[in-house]
């Protein structure tokens, strides 16, 4: 049985960072000048990763930390897109086959990204996809299946983002991270809480599906009603139970933002900084704008920029893409 995930230690995060450093350049932390007197907003631009998203960090660490013998049959991952993209990149690096279990509503740009890197996409239903993530079921296949949420190497790889933030901005007050399965928030918060004990970390969700907000209100994991949304990578009917106890101890709260607020943030990123962000990637900035009570130095993790061109053109035209 797979061991339950734990909060990554600073040593584990540092080892992960050293392991992936030859392949992933440090991403910049840049200030976004919005003319606000009570807060300074900074952007951690994971959009500048070779795959356009932060997921290359955890994918590489998960693969490079494994015994090569365990990967002879290939590697597999369940993903809405970016983790599959990252795992395809990592698998190509070490020369092993790669399989992504995705649902058909995943963005086409991510599906094509996996295939362009030599990965195979196997479509499953949304229910099966979720069962694979929460370990209620697993595919009968020869590839090593790496959990995109609970794998310890995934958490440590994500922690490298937080380590870089603290180094670049030691007096950080607030860090906002999009919350999907929770692996990025948990990894980043592990580094932030060690390097800057006064900083607060918030999970950011799409209000069309906000299980963190619901769990914090109820005091336990609950199953929620969800609405269709163009925002992928965040939002689910519930939380991953294996990770939630770790994440809960690290986060200081959750913020739900609407698709309208997210598209406003996407347009702002393009207009002010010429940054292309997907919906989940811009959610942290949307939360920073929506919560004026969060003051001081605020870091928004802009997690990815992989959005289909048609959907992005709708956003730039002032609309909200169809779910």
């Amino acid at each position: 049985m797979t061991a339950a995930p734990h909060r990554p230690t600073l040593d584990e995060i540092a080892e992960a960072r050293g392991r992936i450093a030859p392949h992933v350049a440090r991403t910049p932390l840049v200030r976004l000048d919005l003319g606000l007197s009570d807060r300074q907003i900074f952007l951690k631009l994971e959009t500048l990763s070779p795959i356009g998203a932060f997921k290359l960090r955890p994918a590489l660490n998960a693969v490079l930390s494994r015994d090569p013998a365990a990967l002879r049959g290939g590697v597999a991952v369940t993903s809405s897109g970016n983790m599959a993209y990252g795992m395809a990149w990592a698998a190509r690096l070490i020369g092993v086959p790669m399989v992504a279990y995705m649902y058909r509503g995943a963005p086409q740009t991510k599906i094509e990204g996996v295939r362009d890197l030599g990965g195979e996409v196997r479509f499953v239903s949304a229910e099966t996809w979720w069962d694979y993530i929460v370990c209620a079921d697993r595919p009968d296949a020869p590839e090593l299946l790496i959990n995109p949420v609970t794998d310890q190497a995934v958490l440590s790889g994500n922690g490298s983002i937080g380590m870089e933030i603290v180094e670049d901005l030691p007096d950080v007050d607030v860090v906002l991270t999009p919350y999907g399965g929770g692996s990025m928030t948990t990894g980043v918060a592990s580094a932030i809480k060690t390097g800057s004990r006064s900083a607060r970390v918030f999970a950011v969700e799409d209000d069309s599906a906000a299980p963190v907000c619901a769990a914090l209100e109820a005091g336990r994991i609950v199953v929620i009603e969800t609405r269709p949304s163009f925002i992928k990578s965040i939002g689910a009917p519930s939380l991953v139970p294996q990770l939630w106890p770790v994440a809960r101890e690290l986060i200081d709260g959750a913020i739900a933002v609407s698709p309208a607020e997210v598209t406003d943030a996407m347009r702002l990123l393009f207009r002010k900084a010429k940054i292309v962000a997907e919906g989940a990637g811009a959610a942290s900035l949307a939360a920073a704008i929506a919560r004026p009570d969060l003051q001081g130095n605020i870091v928004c993790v802009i997690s990815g920029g992989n959005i289909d061109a048609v959907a992005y053109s709708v956003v730039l035209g002032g609309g909200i893409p169809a779910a």
Side-chain angles (χ1 to χ4, degrees):
M1 181 176 291
T2 304
H6 62 261
R7 172 180 175 174
T9 67
L10 210 54
D11 285 344
E12 288 173 327
I13 294 171
E15 289 172 6
R17 186 178 177 190
R19 193 175 287 124
I20 68 178
H23 314 288
V24 182
R26 183 192 191 102
T27 56
L29 185 71
V30 301
R31 181 169 172 264
L32 181 67
D33 185 5
L34 297 181
L36 304 171
S37 60
D38 56 352
R39 51 198 155 134
Q40 300 293 326
I41 293 178
F42 297 83
L43 311 174
K44 180 62 170 168
L45 295 180
E46 292 299 299
T47 54
L48 298 182
S49 155
I51 65 162
F54 78 99
K55 291 286 191 179
L56 187 55
R57 296 177 187 254
L60 272 171
N61 195 48
V63 167
L64 296 178
S65 62
R66 248 53 179 211
D67 182 342
L71 298 170
R72 283 199 196 108
V75 64
V77 71
T78 306
S79 170
S80 62
N82 281 331
M83 186 63 171
Y85 203 171
M87 196 63 75
W89 200 99
R92 188 178 70 167
L93 176 71
I94 65 170
V96 300
M98 179 271 174
V99 170
Y101 292 96
M102 303 174 74
Y103 54 79
R104 292 193 179 276
Q108 191 63 32
T109 185
K110 299 178 184 181
I111 295 170
E112 292 172 357
V114 172
R115 289 172 171 162
D116 287 346
L117 289 168
E120 177 188 351
V121 176
R122 295 175 185 167
F123 290 110
V124 295
S125 69
E127 292 76 18
T128 298
W129 181 87
W130 183 247
D131 283 346
Y132 288 173
I133 288 179
V134 299
C135 303
D137 192 11
R138 58 184 298 116
D140 182 14
E143 299 85 13
L144 175 68
L145 183 66
I146 293 178
N147 192 289
V149 176
T150 61
D151 186 86
Q152 196 61 41
V154 164
L155 299 177
S156 300
N158 286 330
S160 63
I161 301 170
M163 185 174 281
E164 291 176 10
I165 290 172
V166 172
E167 289 176 351
D168 288 344
L169 190 67
D171 54 348
V172 58
D173 295 301
V174 175
V175 178
L176 301 172
T177 64
Y179 194 105
S183 67
M184 186 188 29
T185 299
T186 301
V188 169
S190 297
I192 294 292
K193 296 287 187 174
T194 302
S196 177
R197 298 184 186 280
S198 63
R200 294 184 291 163
V201 178
F202 291 85
V204 180
E205 302 185 284
D206 175 359
D207 70 2
S208 302
V212 178
C213 291
L216 292 177
E217 183 178 354
R220 57 182 175 84
I221 295 177
V222 294
V223 177
I224 61 171
E225 293 289 332
T226 64
R227 303 188 305 275
S229 173
F230 86 96
I231 304 170
K232 311 301 179 184
S233 305
I234 57 175
S238 189
L239 297 172
V240 178
Q242 298 92 328
L243 187 63
W244 177 240
V246 185
R248 177 65 190 91
E249 290 301 313
L250 288 166
I251 64 173
D252 294 278
I255 302 168
V257 290
S258 69
E261 290 172 319
V262 169
T263 50
D264 282 346
M266 293 168 73
R267 287 186 283 270
L268 181 63
L269 284 168
F270 183 78
R271 186 173 69 253
K272 296 282 287 187
K274 298 301 178 280
I275 293 167
V276 176
E278 60 193 86
S284 54
L285 177 60
I289 294 169
R291 287 285 299 271
D293 58 305
L294 300 179
Q295 300 184 358
N297 289 327
I298 301 173
V299 172
C300 302
V301 179
I302 309 301
S303 58
N306 294 318
I307 182 171
D308 291 345
V310 172
Y312 195 59
S313 67
V314 172
V315 172
L316 294 184
I320 299 175

